[in-house]
Amino acid sequence: MGELSWNNEDIDTLIIIGFAENDPEKATVPWALANMELARGKKVQVALMFEGTMSVIPGIADNIVQGPPFDGPLLPRITSFMEKGGVVNCCMPCLKGRVAKGRVKEPVQLLDGVGRCNGFHILEMKDKAKTVLQFT
């Protein structure tokens, strides 16, 4: 599954996302807010848990489309967020559960730049964040 490589810096806003293909609206809106927070000059990290971990498997976010007012697939919102300095961390125990169910094949590949974390790290991120938004 790869080594853990989460980012341990201070955070203005932590956004926890637990949705992907299972609910395109709840997968898309948090990324829109994450990008808005970056535009406001905030340090933002996203922690992907549960089904949300699937959104950073290459090829998955290309097929998550909410529709108006969010035109296009989810992937450009994720890549734009990271290109603008946003940090994305994927809960590897959550993803491992999807491997066990045969939904993801090993070795697990993530989008370039996505960190790997676990529950302890997510709690650390929560402690370092001034604000936490949760979509789970």
Side-chain angles (χ1 to χ4, degrees):
M1 279 276 206
E3 292 185 33
L4 299 177
S5 58
W6 70 296
N7 187 305
N8 185 23
E9 63 181 36
D10 288 337
I11 308 164
D12 290 319
T13 306
L14 171 64
I15 300 177
I16 302 171
I17 305 173
F19 296 94
E21 298 166 300
N22 60 326
D23 191 325
E25 179 180 30
K26 290 179 182 175
T28 302
V29 171
W31 287 105
L33 294 174
N35 278 295
M36 288 178 205
E37 277 288 73
L38 284 179
R40 296 176 59 215
K42 304 288 186 177
K43 283 186 174 182
V44 185
Q45 288 197 29
V46 167
L48 299 169
M49 297 183 71
F50 316 123
E51 191 68 17
T53 59
M54 296 294 290
S55 65
V56 291
I57 302 292
I60 300 289
D62 292 320
N63 298 311
I64 300 173
V65 179
Q66 166 54 31
F70 301 103
D71 295 327
L74 181 59
L75 182 61
R77 293 180 191 286
I78 296 171
T79 56
S80 174
F81 176 76
M82 292 191 293
E83 288 167 359
K84 293 175 187 170
V87 176
V88 179
N89 293 289
C90 179
C91 175
M92 297 312 289
C94 295
L95 196 53
K96 189 171 185 172
R98 277 127 190 98
V99 170
K101 293 176 183 173
R103 297 196 47 225
V104 179
K105 299 211 185 300
E106 291 199 86
V108 174
Q109 299 294 315
L110 302 179
L111 296 174
D112 289 342
V114 174
R116 297 166 184 254
C117 68
N118 60 30
F120 173 82
H121 300 126
I122 291 170
L123 292 173
E124 287 286 311
M125 288 179 238
K126 181 256 319 167
D127 290 345
K128 291 179 173 285
K130 294 176 187 167
T131 302
V132 178
L133 297 175
Q134 180 177 327
F135 299 86
T136 55

